[in-house]
Amino acid sequence: MGERSAAAFEEFVGILDYPMFIVTASVGDENAGCLVGFATQSSIDPPRFLVGLSPNNHTYSVARAATHLGVHLITRDDVELAELFGSESGDQLDKFSRCAWHRGPAGVPILDAACAWFVGSILDRFDLGDHVGQLLEPVAGYATDTHPTFVSFADVKDLDPGHQA
């Protein structure tokens, strides 16, 4: 990609305001979770969701051995939870000791503050560049019947990440 094309692309994605998700994983007694901006529905039938995790992230090291991931939406009222999962590293801090959560399907940590969540079985993993794609098949979930305002990139763009991508 030429310098001019790269700059145009940076400007293009710079004006987008993606939803942010908290993704959780568990293997044995180890829980992990991080704030994720690279995630999207990728198929309607069958239902599929794609999550990109950075290999530099502690959550990735746990997710690599996991069979399922939890994907959570949180409201702007709970932006502190996004800050916890986005600016702290699980290498140094037990994030789950600082928030309310419970075990969900397949033992995945479910954040009590989430207004919507699902647990997905990991069908495949593949290289996306500086992230690794986790292709999920939803197996269980919950969504509020209201339509709150979710945490988006604009709400967290100034956070110092726990790990660089």
Side-chain angles (χ1 to χ4, degrees):
M1 181 180 287
E3 186 176 317
R4 191 169 171 183
S5 295
F9 180 72
E10 287 293 322
E11 288 180 28
F12 176 87
V13 296
I15 62 174
L16 299 175
D17 194 19
Y18 294 109
M20 300 298 291
F21 303 90
I22 296 176
V23 174
T24 58
S26 184
V27 173
D29 292 335
E30 187 170 13
N31 297 320
C34 64
L35 189 65
V36 170
F38 297 143
T40 188
Q41 180 179 356
S42 58
S43 176
I44 296 169
D45 187 17
R48 299 289 185 264
F49 197 85
L50 179 66
V51 172
L53 295 176
S54 169
N56 297 332
N57 195 302
H58 175 76
T59 301
Y60 172 77
S61 67
V62 175
R64 232 176 36 195
T67 60
H68 294 75
L69 296 177
V71 179
H72 305 76
L73 279 173
I74 56 172
T75 68
R76 285 194 174 136
D77 292 337
D78 292 308
V79 73
E80 302 84 22
L81 196 58
E83 292 170 1
L84 172 65
F85 281 87
S87 63
E88 299 290 344
S89 172
D91 291 328
Q92 301 151 356
L93 175 75
D94 176 7
K95 299 175 194 180
F96 295 90
S97 69
R98 297 187 177 200
C99 65
W101 66 281
H102 63 277
R103 291 253 176 239
V108 173
I110 302 298
L111 303 175
D112 292 351
C115 59
W117 60 266
F118 78 91
V119 169
S121 172
I122 302 171
L123 298 177
D124 200 1
R125 295 176 174 94
F126 42 89
D127 180 44
L128 297 175
D130 62 4
H131 284 66
V132 176
Q134 319 285 312
L135 184 63
L136 305 179
E137 175 182 36
V139 297
Y142 164 81
T144 180
D145 55 2
T146 63
H147 295 282
T149 304
F150 301 110
V151 171
S152 67
F153 179 69
D155 299 312
V156 298
K157 68 182 178 182
D158 294 327
L159 288 181
D160 289 325
H163 283 282
Q164 294 298 321

